[in-house]
Amino acid sequence: SRRELLRVGGVSLSARKSVMSSCPPMSWVVALFAAVLTALSVNAEKIVLSNLALPRDTNGAPLISGEADVFVHEGAYYFYFNNWGDCPGVNCCETKGGCWSCCQGQDCTFFHNHTIVAYKSVDLQHFEPLGVVFHANETADGVVVFRPHVLFNKHSGKFVLWYKVKCEGHDCAAPHWYGVASANSPAGPFHNEVAAVPGIQGTLSDHFLFRDPDSPSDAYIVKEGSVTKLNATYTGVVPNASAKLPVPASWEAPVMFRGGLTNDGKRRFFVLGGHNCCACKGGSNAYVFTAVGSPLATWSYVNDIGDNTTQCALQPQGCTRGGHSPLQWTDHAQTSAAFQVQEQGKPEPTTVLLSNQWVTAPPPKHARNADLLYWDVVEWNATSGMPLHMHWRDSIQLNMAKAWQAP
């Protein structure tokens, strides 16, 4: 109603009468909308996120970086990073077998002391450090913890964290599995709830959690080869509720996000991920897959929106998997998280991708947990509704609405 519109815009009813009495019928409508837009613009600010330096926390220290997740809850953004430690990263690009053939055992990527650290931000400019919220020794001795991802479960009232375990040694029941921890707050601490999730096989690859904003109680785990629905408490999976994901072998760092509607009103869903890069310099590609109507519908391959054909043409042997040129992919990064923000003046939320620029930490230590992050936004083909090809950005700018509430 006009009364409600005036209330949202911060315009009094007396102003409404004044506008109506002094303007022609259409003019007061135009004036009214101008007042509303002016009021809304005051509640927006331009945010710049750099890909050339790490953000700093409220104590002035650079963020501890690593495999990342972003969880949006009650107008705040919670960032979770897998802290591998401060040993120097290893650049495997010059090895004959490619990056994955030399990184294992040469740096702290596979150490047993990984911790998950967290930060809270309400504006993506100020990051409050929350400290360690989960430790690898919560699950078992002598294991490596990877890829933290967090969701809130309304059924249990708990914040649920999934992680992947890599087990090394003779006492391992399996080489890989998934564990679940929970907390009463997104700030943690998280404590183990399910040491090894039954009904879903761990892989050498990574995983990602996705909650469908159109159906908030439904959540899914994306991993190599499948998209599977989580159970009511998000602590396990629903039997026989899975869709095949036709990804290549040795596939890492998937993220899932939703797109627009098809011509017949069905929602598009997308998964983006790339070849196994083992935290190598230059990152990985960005294969895109899509399903229509449901995350459990049929998935199909779209294209690679991350390949750098211009730079690869300049390499002596091209950008083959054998040499793994650090210029092989346009953003020189590996995807890690996807989340949405509401920008001023845009009808649909903006999907932000957060990736890792591995082996980019500054001297003298070149520490693994100081590697740069890479911020990007998904841009869309207006005709096909598919994501456009990525290109390098020194930074991104978001015209953020303050106190935005997550869907």
Side-chain angles (χ1 to χ4, degrees):
S1 69
R2 292 173 186 157
R3 181 185 297 272
E4 184 68 14
L5 190 58
L6 283 168
R7 184 186 67 79
V8 174
V11 183
S12 67
L13 290 177
S14 60
R16 173 186 177 187
K17 294 177 181 177
S18 173
V19 170
M20 292 180 67
S21 62
S22 61
C23 299
M26 287 303 297
S27 299
W28 74 261
V29 175
V30 174
L32 176 60
F33 273 98
V36 172
L37 291 175
T38 299
L40 290 175
S41 66
V42 172
N43 291 322
E45 58 181 331
K46 292 182 178 179
I47 301 299
V48 176
L49 294 165
S50 174
N51 292 323
L52 305 178
L54 285 173
R56 292 184 175 271
D57 66 23
T58 50
N59 294 327
L63 298 193
I64 293 173
S65 64
E67 296 171 320
D69 187 42
V70 184
F71 169 62
V72 187
H73 183 70
E74 295 184 346
Y77 303 86
Y78 292 86
F79 291 77
Y80 303 91
F81 295 103
N82 191 4
N83 180 9
W84 292 349
D86 61 359
C87 73
V90 175
N91 180 9
C92 300
C93 289
E94 300 304 320
T95 60
K96 184 177 179 180
C99 66
W100 63 269
S101 66
C102 91
C103 70
Q104 295 199 48
Q106 294 196 30
D107 72 5
C108 46
T109 306
F110 294 93
F111 283 8
H112 299 162
N113 62 343
H114 291 182
T115 60
I116 296 170
V117 298
Y119 297 87
K120 177 183 177 181
S121 178
V122 297
D123 56 9
L124 300 183
Q125 292 289 275
H126 301 89
F127 297 84
E128 175 191 354
L130 303 176
V132 175
V133 298
F134 186 73
H135 197 286
N137 62 17
E138 276 271 351
T139 176
D141 293 329
V143 299
V144 189
V145 169
F146 290 111
R147 296 288 172 190
H149 292 291
V150 174
L151 292 176
F152 176 65
N153 184 268
K154 291 185 178 180
H155 181 81
S156 66
K158 294 290 187 73
F159 297 86
V160 179
L161 181 151
W162 279 62
Y163 56 90
K164 192 192 83 168
V165 171
K166 175 179 171 59
C167 189
E168 301 170 313
H170 299 293
D171 297 330
C172 298
H176 308 277
W177 67 83
Y178 299 103
V180 176
S182 64
N184 294 321
S185 163
F190 289 84
H191 296 293
N192 227 26
E193 185 164 334
V194 182
V197 179
I200 182 169
Q201 184 177 359
T203 71
L204 183 65
S205 180
D206 299 318
H207 70 285
F208 183 76
L209 298 186
F210 172 78
R211 182 183 65 85
D212 184 0
D214 294 329
S215 182
S217 62
D218 294 336
Y220 304 85
I221 179 171
V222 184
K223 70 181 189 72
E224 185 176 66
S226 66
V227 176
T228 303
K229 189 174 182 179
L230 300 185
N231 64 15
T233 58
Y234 299 170
T235 56
V237 296
V238 177
N240 303 315
S242 185
K244 183 179 179 180
L245 194 63
V247 301
S250 185
W251 190 69
E252 280 189 340
V255 297
M256 185 174 176
F257 51 91
R258 63 176 189 162
L261 300 176
T262 62
N263 292 334
D264 56 356
K266 294 182 179 180
R267 177 70 65 184
R268 287 189 183 275
F269 298 91
F270 294 92
V271 168
L272 185 152
H275 281 299
N276 185 333
C277 98
C278 199
C280 55
K281 189 175 182 63
S284 187
N285 51 356
Y287 288 135
V288 175
F289 303 83
T290 188
V292 176
S294 166
L296 297 183
T298 300
W299 287 88
S300 59
Y301 173 72
V302 180
N303 60 356
D304 183 353
I305 63 171
D307 60 316
N308 192 346
T309 55
T310 301
Q311 286 292 338
C312 288
L314 301 177
Q315 302 300 309
Q317 297 180 344
C319 286
T320 63
R321 288 298 298 165
H324 195 100
S325 163
L327 302 177
Q328 189 164 347
W329 319 118
T330 54
D331 59 3
H332 320 312
Q334 184 182 37
T335 52
S336 194
F339 63 102
Q340 291 188 320
V341 302
Q342 185 62 60
E343 290 194 84
Q344 177 67 29
K346 292 188 177 182
E348 292 288 332
T350 297
T351 297
V352 179
L353 301 178
L354 181 58
S355 305
N356 297 103
Q357 296 184 64
W358 300 120
V359 199
T360 57
K365 296 190 72 170
H366 302 283
R368 265 301 192 189
N369 60 7
D371 283 341
L372 295 175
L373 300 172
Y374 185 80
W375 308 84
D376 204 354
V377 294
V378 178
E379 296 178 321
W380 303 97
N381 184 307
T383 302
S384 67
M386 298 295 169
L388 294 175
H389 202 279
M390 294 176 170
H391 59 275
W392 171 264
R393 309 170 193 261
D394 288 345
S395 63
I396 64 170
Q397 180 174 291
L398 300 172
N399 195 20
M400 294 276 291
K402 289 184 178 178
W404 173 74
Q405 298 298 311

